[in-house]
Amino acid sequence: MSTPPQAPREPYEHTEHGVVRPDPYHWMRNTEDPRLLAHLEAERLWYDTASGHLNSLVETLQSEMLGRVPTTDRTVSWQLHGCSYYTVMPAGREHPQLVREKHDSEGVEVLLDVNDLADDSGYVELGLEVVSPDGRLLAYSVDRTGDEVYELRFRDLATGADLPEVAPRTYYGGAWSRGSDHFFYTVHDEAYRPFQVWRHALGTPVADDVLVLEEQDERFELNLRATRSGALVVVWAESRDTREVWVVDAADPTALPLSVGGRRGGVEYHAEHVVLADGSEVLLVVTNDGAEEFRLARCPVPRGAHLDHTAWSPARAERPHERLERVDGFAGHAVLSYRSETEHRLRVLPLDDLDGEGLVISSAFACGGVHIGPNAEYDAVAVTVEDESYVEPPAWSAVDLVSGERTELLRRESPGHDASSYVCEARTFPAPDGTAVPVTLVRHRDTALDGSAPALLYGYGAYEAVYPDQEWDPALPALLDRGVVYAHAHVRGGGEGGRRWWLEGRLEQKQNSFGDYAAVADGLASGLVDGDRIATRGLSAGGLLQGAVFSQRPDRWRAVVAEVPFVDVVSTMLDASIPLTVTEWDEWGDPHRRADFDWMRAYSPYDNPPDGPRPDLLVTGALHDPRVLVFEPAKWVARLRETDPGWSPRCLFRVETGAGAHVGPAGRFAHLGYEAEVYAWVLDRLDCSVVE
């Protein structure tokens, strides 16, 4: 192709609140229209053509990235009922194996090899893999297209054969009954909302499965898990700011689920089961009820009747500078996960002193985080934790629950990688309203912050999430080794600063996310990096961030990477039939209301193409993506091409027209190949494709 494709235009107008919005690419919303697939294929051909000169660089980058991935790899093991479980990545394979070693015998059992599950599409992703309490069965689910519709199966681990019963449409979340004879799972509707919990009796047809709970309110999604104690199955319904929790006696799986605290608008809570020293049982509840950054409460286990919040009693008061995220229960101790000063930490507390200081576990790495690792045994005397940072591969340690002593268990290998060659540091820059916005800077030790180096800025800023959360990425050194400064902007809307940080970057305050991001870029350009060579990247809600700053500050960027971007904000949030729309109204707003419509329309990238010169743009999408439907990036690209034909060749749309997911290809090699493509494009735009 010598020119980019031009999408057909058809007259169409939206009218809301007396405002008319022309939308000539509305026809793309019909994903069954053969014109759409033809157009997407043309866009992919243009991408392949226009980026063909980068093929050699892509190969070089992928080789470097793969060089930092060990030939074989494994995770730390977790103990359960006399066995050790872990996953192994075999040499030369895309996907892992689930492995078991029995403590009373020698040898290793391969319980599940994900490589064997792939079909002709080449795509395979596990939704869940849960071993039954008696160790005889494995429940696992598989997606082979990237649309997050998982087929649930049950494997007899003695024979390696799958049982005949198959649930064809399931979602994330699953739990066994204590007797290993029933399995609970979730099902999503046509809008991809998990709205039902079902119970399957092993050895019976799936058609006879029993509906346990159905959520009628379209703002809420259902999920479930088993407690570590094995006593309960926990089911919860959650919207963006409200949650209700039920429990089912795992020893009596046919019992009705009983509510732990009812449902109150704006109140969230989680529940974890523990057994106290005197043999009594209690639920530990993490809640924002009267505590913006959450507190810990106690609740009796409901037996025979629903409970409401009046059954709760205080256990640990809110710490205003600590966002309490979760509690994990063990025999004699609770482990709290919390965020403070943007850093993720853990706190170990005796069950008889939950309001005390306990033992604080901070990351062993600079600008790193520590999270609770795989811990399946309730009676454990030590807890496995995982340390990780932008330049340090994961390391797992056992932390004694009494003394706090740490013993390293496993450190992921990264051949040829020397973490001491890189520097991580934290800075802040003032937002337009004066708020200090944190940013983490990662660079090669030889790259100076003197205004001469190019930079890649990354951001997300939604759902109170931290994405990525101080994670090791074997692709990143390929960027750093070429003198690029990597900057992760922790803008409002995310969770880096706790619940307050999210509240100040959602709904009518969403513009704060965009203002924060531009302020970080401007701050970096004021003497730290080369202001004429700043690229920016983000995915999904982070793709919206890229679309907004592309429109609002096109002068700031040399290049923009908007991955699966949510950019047709108003039209999508008006259509309740689209996956995630109704459940997202509490995050973005409901444009059926005039005030919401006005603030969303003010920043929606599709409704606000930029004025003046534009930077180069790389957009990604996937035909089977259920989170950001492919017509969103397709419409946006078409609109941008139409509004600036001369710039149009500098816009590329890398779309997956076959199997492919929201976050790109599955498999370690395929995903690093994707990262190599993105990095090659960025490095080419920043004029720094050669290792310094």
Side-chain angles (χ1 to χ4, degrees), residues 5 85 205 216 240 407 462 497 574 589:
Y85 294 86
Q216 299 287 349
R240 286 305 310 138
T407 303
L574 281 167

Side-chain angles (χ1 to χ4, degrees), residues 219-518:
R219 297 172 301 165
F220 287 79
E221 299 181 348
L222 289 177
N223 207 338
L224 65 99
R225 64 177 177 85
T227 59
R228 185 176 286 102
S229 66
L232 301 172
V233 174
V234 180
V235 181
W236 65 94
E238 63 180 334
S239 69
R240 286 305 310 138
D241 63 0
T242 302
R243 182 180 285 214
E244 181 174 8
V245 177
W246 300 264
V247 294
V248 177
D249 187 339
D252 184 13
T254 62
L256 294 175
L258 298 174
S259 183
V260 170
R263 184 179 304 186
R264 292 175 290 154
V267 174
E268 300 176 48
Y269 62 99
H270 316 259
E272 172 75 321
H273 179 257
V274 294
V275 179
L276 303 179
D278 61 3
S280 61
E281 59 179 355
V282 69
L283 293 172
L284 300 181
V285 177
V286 174
T287 180
N288 68 336
D289 183 19
E292 185 174 73
E293 300 300 335
F294 289 70
R295 62 183 176 91
L296 193 64
R298 296 183 185 87
C299 175
V301 176
R303 300 292 184 187
H306 297 296
L307 299 178
D308 63 23
H309 68 283
T310 60
W312 301 352
S313 59
R316 182 180 181 83
E318 174 189 18
R319 270 61 169 175
H321 300 294
E322 296 181 3
R323 167 59 164 99
L324 179 59
E325 295 181 345
R326 61 181 273 180
V327 58
D328 284 86
F330 298 88
H333 290 83
V335 179
L336 305 184
S337 297
Y338 70 99
R339 192 172 297 276
S340 179
E341 299 172 329
T342 75
E343 181 181 314
H344 198 276
R345 301 169 183 163
L346 303 173
R347 190 186 301 271
V348 180
L349 297 166
L351 291 179
D352 58 3
D353 188 21
L354 292 173
D355 203 29
E357 289 304 305
L359 301 170
V360 174
I361 305 170
S362 298
S363 177
F365 303 140
C367 297
V370 60
H371 295 76
I372 193 160
N375 294 275
E377 284 196 325
Y378 180 72
D379 294 329
V381 297
V383 61
T384 299
V385 303
E386 180 181 358
D387 274 296
E388 194 171 8
S389 82
Y390 299 91
V391 298
E392 292 276 5
W396 293 271
S397 302
V399 177
D400 187 283
L401 289 170
V402 175
S403 68
E405 181 180 355
R406 296 177 69 152
T407 303
E408 186 169 301
L409 301 172
L410 180 68
R411 184 180 290 261
R412 176 161 289 164
E413 296 180 7
S414 183
H417 176 67
D418 179 6
S420 67
S421 297
Y422 307 96
V423 178
C424 297
E425 59 186 281
R427 302 265 184 136
T428 63
F429 297 103
D433 64 0
T435 299
V437 182
V439 58
T440 303
L441 301 180
V442 189
R443 58 187 170 90
H444 193 280
R445 189 171 295 279
D446 295 336
T447 301
L449 291 176
D450 60 2
S452 63
L456 174 63
L457 185 61
Y458 192 96
Y460 188 72
Y463 305 113
E464 201 183 350
V466 181
Y467 179 79
D469 191 0
Q470 301 154 322
E471 294 177 5
W472 157 249
D473 180 357
L476 183 59
L479 198 73
L480 306 179
D481 291 347
R482 287 166 171 81
V484 178
V485 176
Y486 177 81
H488 186 177
H490 307 296
V491 301
R492 282 175 285 183
E496 289 90 337
R499 174 50 57 96
R500 174 187 66 86
W501 205 245
W502 173 56
L503 294 175
E504 292 182 6
R506 69 189 277 248
L507 298 177
E508 71 273 16
Q509 300 193 77
K510 187 60 195 170
Q511 180 59 38
N512 282 338
S513 301
F514 316 137
D516 289 358
Y517 199 72

Side-chain angles (χ1 to χ4, degrees), residues 84-353:
S84 296
Y85 294 86
Y86 53 94
T87 61
V88 173
M89 186 69 76
R93 306 303 298 274
E94 285 276 16
H95 305 285
Q97 300 170 333
L98 175 63
V99 169
R100 175 169 69 182
E101 295 182 15
K102 295 182 178 180
H103 297 169
D104 59 359
S105 64
E106 296 183 359
V108 174
E109 299 176 87
V110 176
L111 305 183
L112 185 70
D113 189 333
V114 181
N115 298 283
D116 294 340
L117 303 177
D119 59 14
D120 292 342
S121 74
Y123 182 93
V124 61
E125 193 72 38
L126 284 185
L128 58 81
E129 48 182 345
V130 188
V131 177
S132 61
D134 63 11
R136 296 187 304 106
L137 298 165
L138 173 70
Y140 73 95
S141 63
V142 182
D143 166 24
R144 293 185 176 86
T145 65
D147 63 358
E148 299 183 57
V149 176
Y150 291 89
E151 182 183 77
L152 174 64
R153 291 181 174 270
F154 303 92
R155 176 163 294 186
D156 184 329
L157 295 180
T159 66
D162 287 342
L163 303 183
E165 51 255 45
V166 178
R169 184 184 179 91
T170 68
Y171 206 52
Y172 306 104
W176 288 97
S177 65
R178 173 161 271 181
S180 302
D181 52 353
H182 289 83
F183 190 78
F184 297 84
Y185 62 93
T186 60
V187 170
H188 46 356
D189 60 18
E190 294 305 314
Y192 290 81
R193 179 180 70 96
F195 74 119
Q196 293 176 332
V197 171
W198 290 78
R199 184 182 67 244
H200 175 68
L202 272 293
T204 68
V206 170
D208 295 340
D209 287 0
V210 176
L211 178 63
V212 176
L213 196 66
E214 181 170 356
E215 177 56 55
Q216 299 287 349
D217 191 329
E218 293 183 344
R219 297 172 301 165
F220 287 79
E221 299 181 348
L222 289 177
N223 207 338
L224 65 99
R225 64 177 177 85
T227 59
R228 185 176 286 102
S229 66
L232 301 172
V233 174
V234 180
V235 181
W236 65 94
E238 63 180 334
S239 69
R240 286 305 310 138
D241 63 0
T242 302
R243 182 180 285 214
E244 181 174 8
V245 177
W246 300 264
V247 294
V248 177
D249 187 339
D252 184 13
T254 62
L256 294 175
L258 298 174
S259 183
V260 170
R263 184 179 304 186
R264 292 175 290 154
V267 174
E268 300 176 48
Y269 62 99
H270 316 259
E272 172 75 321
H273 179 257
V274 294
V275 179
L276 303 179
D278 61 3
S280 61
E281 59 179 355
V282 69
L283 293 172
L284 300 181
V285 177
V286 174
T287 180
N288 68 336
D289 183 19
E292 185 174 73
E293 300 300 335
F294 289 70
R295 62 183 176 91
L296 193 64
R298 296 183 185 87
C299 175
V301 176
R303 300 292 184 187
H306 297 296
L307 299 178
D308 63 23
H309 68 283
T310 60
W312 301 352
S313 59
R316 182 180 181 83
E318 174 189 18
R319 270 61 169 175
H321 300 294
E322 296 181 3
R323 167 59 164 99
L324 179 59
E325 295 181 345
R326 61 181 273 180
V327 58
D328 284 86
F330 298 88
H333 290 83
V335 179
L336 305 184
S337 297
Y338 70 99
R339 192 172 297 276
S340 179
E341 299 172 329
T342 75
E343 181 181 314
H344 198 276
R345 301 169 183 163
L346 303 173
R347 190 186 301 271
V348 180
L349 297 166
L351 291 179
D352 58 3
D353 188 21

